[in-house]
């Protein structure tokens, strides 16, 4: 099992551009979530999903969209990137209320 | 890469007892975060420590970072059932990368 796979590892965007951060898990976990990590603020949840077809907003959802068409994949889309979205993004999964498994992170810079 | 080792993996305590969770790194920590995981709520940010010897408290939870900035402890005084959950430490390295411990599952028996 690969666990939680995030791509890309690094990316630079210009303001107004769009992109999709990919997250895939092969552990048959129902729960998938996206977090952003900013200095001094720790991890903040953006969106999450408890099962395919179900998504919900986290603490900081504005400017981000997600979809969950199957169990494995949970892409995070930035439609019109802003400099405030410069951050490190983590995807995490779990089986029910068990421990979270994290991807390796995506470092995103918006210029 | 920086590895974070958390101990214990799980802990069962009687209500009212004190407990400590540890998070150890092989390298210097530049930012150490403690979170509590609650199902349906994701990770709840508890505290962040940056300076060697730093100590922070919130209600009955105290977190410390040692002088060498390689070990942090989370101490809960007079535990309550509401403290039950999974506690996770996370850290920044000087390369700007982040890593996480495996988590400690805490059960508090009434």
């Amino acid at each position: 099992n690969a666990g939680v796979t995030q791509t890309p590892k690094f990316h630079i965007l210009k303001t107004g551009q769009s992109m999709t951060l990919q997250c895939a898990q092969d552990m048959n976990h129902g729960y998938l979530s996206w977090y952003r990590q900013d200095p001094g603020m720790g991890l903040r949840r953006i969106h999450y999903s408890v099962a395919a077809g179900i998504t919900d907003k986290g603490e900081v959802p504005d400017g981000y969209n997600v979809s969950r068409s199957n169990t494995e994949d949970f892409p995070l889309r930035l439609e019109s990137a802003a400099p405030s979205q410069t951050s490190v993004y983590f995807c995490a999964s779990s089986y029910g209320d068990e421990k979270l498994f994290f991807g390796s992170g995506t470092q995103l810079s918006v210029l | 890469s920086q590895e974070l080792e958390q101990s214990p993996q799980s802990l069962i305590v009687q209500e009212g007892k004190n407990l400590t969770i540890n998070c150890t790194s092989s390298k210097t920590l530049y930012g150490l975060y403690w979170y509590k995981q609650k199902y349906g709520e994701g990770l709840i940010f508890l505290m962040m420590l940056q300076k060697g010897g730093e100590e922070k408290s919130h209600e009955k939870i105290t977190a410390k970072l040692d002088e060498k900035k390689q070990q942090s402890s989370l101490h809960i005084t007079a535990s309550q059932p509401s403290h039950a959950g999974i506690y996770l430490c996370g850290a920044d390295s000087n390369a700007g990368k982040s890593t996480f411990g495996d988590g400690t599952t805490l059960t508090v028996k009434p």
Side-chain angles (χ1 to χ4, degrees), chain B residues 23-97:
Chain B
C23 181
T24 303
S25 171
S26 57
K27 298 182 180 181
T28 301
L29 298 165
Y30 287 86
L32 190 287
Y33 305 82
W34 281 102
Y35 303 92
K36 181 181 177 183
Q37 179 182 331
K38 285 183 73 174
Y39 184 62
E41 296 182 35
L43 289 175
I44 298 168
F45 174 68
L46 296 175
M47 277 170 274
M48 180 194 175
L49 305 166
Q50 282 186 298
K51 300 176 183 175
E54 187 174 7
E55 180 176 319
K56 288 186 178 177
S57 293
H58 176 67
E59 296 179 348
K60 294 185 178 180
I61 301 176
T62 300
K64 300 179 186 179
L65 183 62
D66 74 339
E67 289 290 344
K68 290 185 179 179
K69 293 169 65 175
Q70 287 187 284
Q71 183 168 5
S72 178
S73 60
L74 186 82
H75 185 77
I76 299 177
T77 304
S79 58
Q80 300 169 353
S82 61
H83 287 128
I86 300 173
Y87 289 84
L88 185 73
C89 64
D92 297 329
S93 72
N94 63 349
K97 296 183 179 180

Side-chain angles (χ1 to χ4, degrees), chain A residues 10 31 35 37-45 48 50 59 88 90 94-100 102-104 107, chain B residues 9-10 33 35 37-43 45 48 86 88 91-92 95-105:
Chain A
F10 306 95
Y31 177 85
Y35 289 86
Q37 177 161 293
D38 302 292
M41 303 184 79
L43 288 167
R44 291 180 294 168
R45 191 167 59 168
Y48 66 100
V50 297
E59 286 178 75
V88 180
F90 288 95
S94 71
Y95 185 76
D97 57 358
E98 295 182 1
K99 295 179 184 180
L100 284 169
F102 286 89
S104 56
Q107 199 164 327
Chain B
Q9 287 189 339
S10 63
Y33 305 82
Y35 303 92
Q37 179 182 331
K38 285 183 73 174
Y39 184 62
E41 296 182 35
L43 289 175
F45 174 68
M48 180 194 175
I86 300 173
L88 185 73
D92 297 329
K97 296 183 179 180
S98 299
T99 188
F100 303 96
D102 285 338
T104 296
T105 302

Side-chain angles (χ1 to χ4, degrees), chain A residues 55-78:
Chain A
T55 63
D56 261 308
K57 296 180 180 180
E59 286 178 75
V60 288
D62 295 341
Y64 306 95
N65 290 310
V66 292
S67 60
R68 183 93 182 268
S69 58
N70 56 50
T71 301
E72 293 78 24
D73 302 299
F74 193 45
L76 179 73
R77 182 151 180 89
L78 286 71

